[in-house]
């Protein structure tokens, strides 16, 4: 595949102490003497990014994102706007990042396009106001769509690393995400070398370089979650490195809220279900590789696994969060494979204090591998993800409020739900003090169809939808998952739909199917009256 190659820029080395004013020399993290001359400030590096460029940046769920260059770029954009000249770029990442990247660029209206996943309130506000174009796609698709050329040329990659080796190879940071693809495809590369990232990250990564484009693809040779198939370092053509910026700044590391009562009840229902699957011989006591989303419910499920006496489990997932560190420490998990960390301050302290222990039990991979459908299906992952709502037939909306207001994005849930051994979607049965029902007649937006949804869980109970026709699914979901305040309304809707609908296979009243959402938009509640 052809790729445009940029001529490397000639930059003047800085005088000692001139970079970022962090007060320390970091050259021990940059072992390549040939690359030291590319050192510059974040402001100098940001000046290499021009209006209208497509810029790929590292980062995945608040880990491993560039900290300094995006903020310098945002300041430059703000100055440009003040002088009457608009300045926007297209931004591609691994997943969500942090206020220093997404938030900084959104506040100055500096992005015209963003993909593939976001969670910043400023970004979300602008997407829903219609001033920022957002592409929400499966995380496993981003790298290959970039290679296919679907997003056009990648003009600049801004990638955080933990260090640079003598031969120019890069020590990956606390997330891998799409960095391999960004470094391969970008015309120019800006590196942020972050001293804050533990030096002990070196060796914890498994970067696979064996993928190819159709029609020359070959099977990916991974058959176990803890198998290494690549190398510990990222590669990059040194001629395309146009700037190196030294930083000493933490990842976004907000503390997690403890699981609430509804989350613990959801976890209890799911753990009871897994126990039943073991007793029926469909799972062993080692289960299958776990994939878990981030949040209260996920943390409650992980805690429940520990309390349930499970030992020697594995995880093949996207994010290592605090709960997984605890499971690794007490032996519930034998190992965990992911593409990123997402730790609280306490989790970071724990990891740093016992890094030698965790480095033998954690692998970080590119997200094109961590989320690859072929591998998810081969390993038989148990996919556990959150949702905004499910309808009575099992269609799941995980991204939109009332069908039109985006929350965060589909993330990797679709990669795992479509291909996993089990696909579980979890949510409280109500939100906003009962003004919103998590179970509705018809989902206002569908990210996961009824064909990919096997299990729905709320604090009310669990609906096992495997092997059921639509009308049978409706019975299970209404009886087991709906909140008591909404259950009679759902049953009434279904009964009238079965009596009066155009067809009896998936009965709907088309003039009422989305009336609950319309009522919420107009009155602030789905509850009639």
């Amino acid at each position: 595949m052809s790729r445009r190659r940029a001529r490397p820029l000639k930059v003047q080395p800085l005088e000692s102490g001139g970079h970022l004013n962090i007060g320390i020399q970091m050259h021990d993290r940059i072992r390549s003497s040939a690359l030291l001359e590319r050192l510059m400030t974040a402001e100098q590096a940001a000046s290499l990014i021009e209006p209208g460029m497509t810029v790929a940046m590292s980062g995945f769920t608040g880990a491993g994102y560039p900290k300094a260059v995006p903020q310098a770029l945002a300041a430059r954009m703000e100055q440009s706007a003040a002088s009457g000249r608009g300045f926007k770029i297209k931004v591609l990442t691994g997943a969500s990042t942090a206020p220093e990247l997404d938030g900084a660029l959104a506040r100055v209206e500096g992005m015209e396009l963003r993909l593939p996943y976001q969670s910043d309130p400023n970004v979300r506000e602008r997407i829903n106001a219609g001033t920022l174009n957002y592409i929400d796609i499966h995380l496993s698709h981003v790298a290959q769509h970039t290679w296919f050329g679907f997003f056009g040329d990648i003009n600049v990659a801004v990638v955080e690393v933990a260090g640079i080796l003598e031969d120019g190879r890069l020590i990956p940071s606390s997330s891998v995400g799409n960095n391999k693809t960004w470094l391969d495809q970008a015309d120019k590369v800006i590196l942020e070398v972050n001293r804050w990232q533990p030096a002990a990250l070196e060796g914890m990564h498994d970067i696979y370089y064996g993928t190819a484009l159709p029609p020359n693809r070959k099977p990916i040779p991974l058959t176990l979650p803890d198998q290494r198939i690549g190398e510990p370092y990222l590669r990059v053509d040194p001629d395309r490195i146009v700037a190196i910026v030294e930083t000493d700044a933490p990842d976004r590391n907000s503390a997690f809220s403890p699981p609430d009562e509804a989350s613990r009840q959801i976890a209890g229902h799911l753990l009871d279900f897994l126990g039943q699957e073991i007793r029926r011989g469909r799972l062993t006591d080692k289960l299958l590789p776990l994939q878990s989303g981030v949040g209260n419910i996920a943390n409650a499920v992980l805690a429940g696994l520990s309390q349930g006496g499970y030992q020697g489990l594995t995880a093949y997932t996207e994010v290592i969060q605090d709960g997984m560190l605890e499971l690794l420490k007490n032996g519930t998990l034998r190992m965990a494979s992911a593409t990123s960390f997402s730790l609280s301050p306490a989790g970071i302290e724990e990891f740093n204090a016992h890094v030698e222990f965790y480095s033998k039990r954690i692998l970080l991979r590119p997200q094109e591998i961590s989320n690859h459908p072929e591998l998810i299906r081969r390993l038989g992952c148990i996919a556990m993800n959150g949702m905004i709502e499910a309808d009575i037939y099992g269609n799941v909306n995980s991204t939109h409020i009332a069908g039109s207001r985006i929350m965060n994005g589909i993330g990797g849930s679709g990669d795992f739900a479509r291909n996993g051994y089990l696909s579980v979607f979890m949510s409280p049965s109500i939100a906003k003090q009962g003004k919103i029902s998590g179970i509705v007649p018809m989902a206002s937006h569908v990210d996961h169809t009824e064909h990919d949804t096997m299990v729905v869980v709320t604090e009310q109970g669990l609906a096992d939808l495997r092997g059921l026709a639509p009308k049978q699914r409706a019975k299970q979901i209404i009886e087991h998952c709906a909140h008591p305040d909404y259950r009679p309304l759902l049953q009434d809707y279904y009964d009238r739909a079965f009596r009066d609908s155009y067809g009896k296979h998936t009965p709907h009243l088309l003039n009422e199917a989305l009336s609950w959402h319309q009522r919420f938009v107009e009155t602030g509640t789905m509850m009639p009256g």
Side-chain angles (χ1 to χ4, degrees):
M1 183 174 179
S2 62
R3 174 175 63 226
R4 290 191 299 126
R5 290 296 180 92
R7 181 178 300 170
L9 301 184
K10 297 298 184 182
V11 299
Q12 297 299 318
L14 295 178
E15 295 180 2
S16 177
H19 54 276
L20 292 181
N21 296 319
I22 61 177
I24 54 173
Q25 291 294 329
M26 294 176 57
H27 300 343
D28 60 306
R29 291 290 185 105
I30 305 173
R31 305 174 201 169
S32 169
S33 57
L35 292 176
L36 282 173
E37 68 175 18
R38 316 242 174 119
L39 282 171
M40 61 179 68
T41 65
E43 290 73 21
Q44 288 173 311
S47 71
L48 304 176
I49 299 174
E50 300 173 4
M53 279 186 165
T54 297
V55 182
M57 301 202 189
S58 62
F60 195 103
T61 59
Y65 56 92
K67 280 76 170 174
V69 173
Q71 293 184 85
L73 180 60
R76 181 171 155 229
M77 289 171 166
E78 190 170 32
Q79 293 172 356
S80 179
S83 63
R85 299 188 305 272
F87 185 174
K88 292 189 177 185
I89 60 172
K90 303 179 183 71
V91 176
L92 288 63
T93 66
S96 57
T97 62
E100 299 98 320
L101 196 166
D102 274 334
L105 294 178
R107 282 192 295 273
V108 297
E109 302 282 357
M111 291 186 282
E112 61 176 285
L113 175 72
R114 177 70 169 81
L115 69 88
Y117 182 89
Q118 52 74 41
S119 61
D120 185 87
N122 292 289
V123 174
R124 186 184 302 120
E125 178 184 355
R126 282 156 178 77
I127 293 170
N128 287 318
T131 60
L132 170 56
N133 290 320
Y134 172 57
I135 301 176
D136 184 24
I137 64 175
H138 299 297
L139 295 187
S140 67
H141 284 174
V142 181
Q144 69 169 357
H145 286 189
T146 301
W147 280 100
F148 294 164
F150 294 172
F151 306 133
D153 294 326
I154 306 299
N155 304 118
V156 179
V158 186
V159 175
E160 181 186 89
V161 296
I164 303 175
L165 301 182
E166 291 84 354
D167 60 6
R169 289 178 297 166
L170 309 176
I171 303 170
S173 182
S174 53
S175 71
V176 181
N178 288 313
N179 294 350
K180 169 185 165 291
T181 294
W182 301 157
L183 294 168
D184 284 344
Q185 284 284 287
D187 294 331
K188 302 174 184 178
V189 173
I190 298 171
L191 298 177
E192 286 197 8
V193 182
N194 188 357
R195 173 180 288 276
W196 180 87
Q197 298 289 359
L201 285 172
E202 184 172 358
M204 290 184 64
H205 304 83
D206 186 50
I207 313 300
Y208 180 63
Y209 279 94
T211 54
L213 300 183
N216 300 312
R217 279 182 164 162
K218 297 179 180 179
I220 298 172
L222 189 147
T223 57
L224 296 170
D226 50 355
Q227 184 179 356
R228 283 185 176 271
I229 58 173
E231 56 195 75
Y233 305 106
L234 290 162
R235 309 175 196 166
V236 63
D237 179 354
D239 289 341
R240 289 187 290 116
I241 299 175
V242 298
I244 298 174
V245 177
E246 296 177 321
T247 65
D248 189 2
D251 283 336
R252 183 193 69 195
N253 49 7
S254 302
F256 294 106
S257 301
D260 56 16
E261 182 59 28
S263 298
R264 287 190 288 269
Q265 290 173 336
I266 291 170
H269 296 313
L270 179 55
L271 292 165
D272 286 345
F273 168 78
L274 293 175
Q276 292 172 13
E277 292 295 287
I278 293 171
R279 289 189 290 275
R280 291 170 178 167
R282 292 197 281 241
L283 289 171
T284 72
D285 60 4
K286 295 294 187 282
L287 301 179
L288 283 165
L290 304 174
Q291 179 263 336
S292 174
V294 177
N296 281 359
I297 297 175
N299 285 330
V301 171
L302 294 176
L305 289 170
S306 177
Q307 295 162 7
Y310 289 96
Q311 289 284 296
L313 308 182
T314 61
Y316 193 84
T317 187
E318 299 154 302
V319 172
I320 303 294
Q321 50 193 315
D322 288 29
M324 287 195 175
L325 294 186
E326 179 62 28
L327 297 191
L328 288 166
K329 194 172 183 179
N330 64 28
T332 303
L333 278 179
R334 178 173 59 80
M335 68 79 55
S337 168
T339 193
S340 177
F341 285 102
S342 184
L343 300 175
S344 71
I348 291 169
E349 183 177 348
E350 165 65 24
F351 176 80
N352 289 338
H354 303 95
V355 67
E356 293 300 325
F357 172 86
Y358 291 116
S359 64
K360 297 178 177 64
R361 292 163 175 82
I362 293 174
L363 282 175
L364 296 183
R365 312 179 190 270
Q367 72 187 61
E368 64 187 271
I369 300 298
S370 69
N371 287 59
H372 200 291
E374 174 191 355
L375 303 178
I376 293 167
R377 181 163 293 195
R378 180 183 298 146
L379 296 174
C381 294
I382 297 176
M384 301 176 289
N385 289 286
M387 64 181 184
I388 290 174
E389 64 184 10
D391 68 25
I392 58 176
Y393 299 112
N395 298 291
V396 169
N397 168 19
S398 60
T399 59
H400 286 71
I401 303 297
S404 58
R405 290 187 62 85
I406 190 75
M407 282 297 291
N408 298 337
I410 193 170
S413 57
D415 299 324
F416 285 88
R418 172 63 61 90
N419 299 287
Y421 174 82
L422 282 173
S423 62
V424 180
F425 287 98
M426 306 171 288
S427 171
S429 65
I430 54 173
K432 290 189 178 294
Q433 294 78 48
K435 295 178 181 178
I436 294 177
S437 175
I439 307 297
V440 294
M442 177 183 280
S444 60
H445 176 92
V446 177
D447 296 289
H448 314 280
T449 72
E450 60 185 281
H451 313 294
D452 298 331
T453 305
M454 299 183 191
V455 178
V456 174
V457 195
T458 73
E459 83 285 358
Q460 300 298 321
L462 181 146
D464 182 357
L465 309 180
R466 294 172 298 174
L468 300 183
K471 295 187 292 294
Q472 295 171 310
R473 294 191 207 114
K475 182 177 188 298
Q476 290 295 312
I477 291 174
I478 293 172
E479 287 184 4
H480 296 292
C481 298
H483 191 275
D485 291 348
Y486 285 96
R487 194 175 298 146
L489 301 174
L490 289 165
Q491 189 63 53
D492 174 69
Y493 172 86
Y494 173 82
D495 291 342
R496 290 184 295 111
F498 184 75
R499 182 189 68 204
D500 300 333
S501 68
Y502 179 71
K504 307 299 184 185
H505 176 64
T506 309
H508 267 304
L509 299 173
L510 296 182
N511 63 332
E512 287 189 36
L514 296 176
S515 62
W516 289 29
H517 302 87
Q518 185 63 33
R519 187 182 303 126
F520 170 74
V521 170
E522 293 176 352
T523 69
T525 179
M526 289 184 173
M527 186 64 68

